[in-house]
Amino acid sequence: MERNENIRSAATAEPHATARKRGAVPQGSAWALVTGAGSGIGRCYALRLAALGYNLAIAGDRAEPLDGVREELAAAGCPRVQVVVTDLARIEAAQELYDGLCGAGIAPDVVVNNAGIFSFCDVLSTPSERIERIVLLHDMTTTQLCRLYAAQMIARGVRGHILNMSSYSQWMPFPGLALYGASKAYLRTFSVAFAKEVADRGIRVTASCPAGVATDLYGLTPRWQRIGQRLGVLISADSCARRGLHALWRGRRSVVPDWWNRAWIPLCKLLPLRAIRPLRRFTMRFQK
């Protein structure tokens, strides 16, 4: 029986006990790993998992923002925090991260593969090295981490949870998004199929596919992020993390936060090139 079901059973048996939130564990009794945790959605995942009782292993490619998140987690009462500074856009990155955490005695029950690189640029204008890094980070590293940690969870006999951050852009085959959208489409397809492979072994896998999120990923200034949220075209990073975890605890294989984004998917797929051309001319100035 899953941990959250045990918690609900215990609460029923003891009427005066405080009911735990979905996904919660006794304080400090389990570990969670979040990649790309130095800012944005990854930071919010880390804070929310800490609030549910988890120790946190946070990974990213820059020490300073990770140290800042570590201080936030400590202030929030997270019992233990392990910081791993590493470049995850390398073939050997997943194995190195896994081996390093195993050496530190850390075996997470929850893995959030959040690290990502945004790219809005035509393929012909994208350097080969950047293409390689995006595909390695989004697809190779995530796939290997899923394989390594799912096998470890099964060997340990725990009911594990893995959340992979895909993107709404997979349904937007627009100029400038060919590389980014395709790499995220792989993540969703892989996650849904992998979830079916490991479901009977007690592992839940979810792909979160948010549309616009108010983070620094797209290069938007804080002012434009606030405007986007007021207009309803962007959701907050914390809202994205909350909805992703909610879907993970419920065992959903794929989720698109907010119903209106789900409603637009058929239109995104069918939008003709003549309708995209004016948008392309406007957005060319933002290519990076």
Side-chain angles (χ1 to χ4, degrees):
M1 184 176 291
E2 296 176 28
R3 178 182 286 112
N4 57 355
E5 293 177 346
N6 288 334
I7 290 168
R8 287 197 295 271
S9 298
T12 303
E14 300 176 25
H16 300 292
T18 301
R20 291 187 183 275
K21 293 181 180 179
R22 187 185 294 270
V25 298
Q27 188 79 353
S29 64
W31 282 88
L33 165 64
V34 180
T35 67
S39 63
I41 304 169
R43 167 184 168 273
C44 293
Y45 275 127
L47 290 170
R48 284 194 164 271
L49 287 165
L52 291 173
Y54 291 89
N55 300 316
L56 262 297
I58 53 176
D61 61 355
R62 293 189 297 146
E64 186 176 352
L66 289 174
D67 288 339
V69 174
R70 173 168 52 187
E71 293 175 3
E72 287 188 86
L73 291 169
C78 184
R80 297 179 62 190
V81 182
Q82 181 82 10
V83 172
V84 182
V85 181
T86 181
D87 179 5
L88 292 169
R90 296 174 297 119
I91 291 177
E92 64 274 17
Q95 190 68 55
E96 287 181 3
L97 177 59
Y98 177 81
D99 290 343
L101 291 181
C102 285
I106 296 172
D109 288 7
V110 178
V111 174
V112 178
N113 289 304
N114 170 77
I117 302 172
F118 182 68
S119 177
F120 181 66
C121 190
D122 288 357
V123 173
L124 293 180
S125 301
T126 305
S128 295
E129 180 187 2
R130 185 169 179 80
I131 292 174
E132 184 176 290
R133 287 182 60 79
I134 289 172
V135 174
L136 281 173
L137 178 60
H138 293 171
D139 301 337
M140 178 64 77
T141 297
T142 297
T143 299
Q144 293 285 23
L145 285 174
C146 286
R147 173 183 173 274
L148 290 166
Y149 278 113
Q152 185 189 68
M153 292 168 184
I154 292 168
R156 292 168 52 219
V158 302
R159 298 278 184 169
H161 293 78
I162 300 174
L163 177 61
N164 296 328
M165 288 302 294
S166 181
S167 170
Y168 193 83
S169 63
Q170 67 185 286
W171 293 294
M172 300 169 64
F174 299 164
L177 288 173
L179 177 61
Y180 183 79
S183 68
K184 291 295 188 175
Y186 167 86
L187 268 183
R188 179 181 178 274
T189 300
F190 168 77
S191 299
V192 171
F194 187 60
K196 296 174 182 178
E197 290 182 0
V198 297
D200 61 351
R201 310 294 294 274
I203 310 299
R204 288 180 171 177
V205 181
T206 297
S208 179
C209 312
V213 183
T215 72
D216 296 334
L217 184 68
Y218 314 117
L220 296 175
T221 64
R223 175 174 176 269
W224 279 109
Q225 291 179 32
R226 291 191 297 271
I227 291 173
Q229 288 187 79
R230 285 198 294 268
L231 293 175
V233 296
L234 299 178
I235 63 174
S236 70
D238 186 61
S239 176
C240 182
R242 174 177 59 82
R243 294 162 194 250
L245 288 175
H246 180 73
L248 182 65
W249 306 139
R250 293 177 64 86
R252 295 186 60 182
R253 291 170 182 155
S254 177
V255 61
V256 178
D258 291 331
W259 66 268
W260 57 86
N261 288 325
R262 294 191 289 272
W264 283 99
I265 290 174
L267 179 61
C268 288
K269 292 180 177 180
L270 297 174
L271 204 61
L273 183 59
R274 64 178 177 272
I276 296 174
R277 283 189 180 121
L279 179 64
R280 173 181 171 77
R281 286 193 293 269
F282 173 74
T283 56
M284 283 293 288
R285 71 189 71 178
F286 302 111
Q287 291 216 5
K288 62 177 183 177

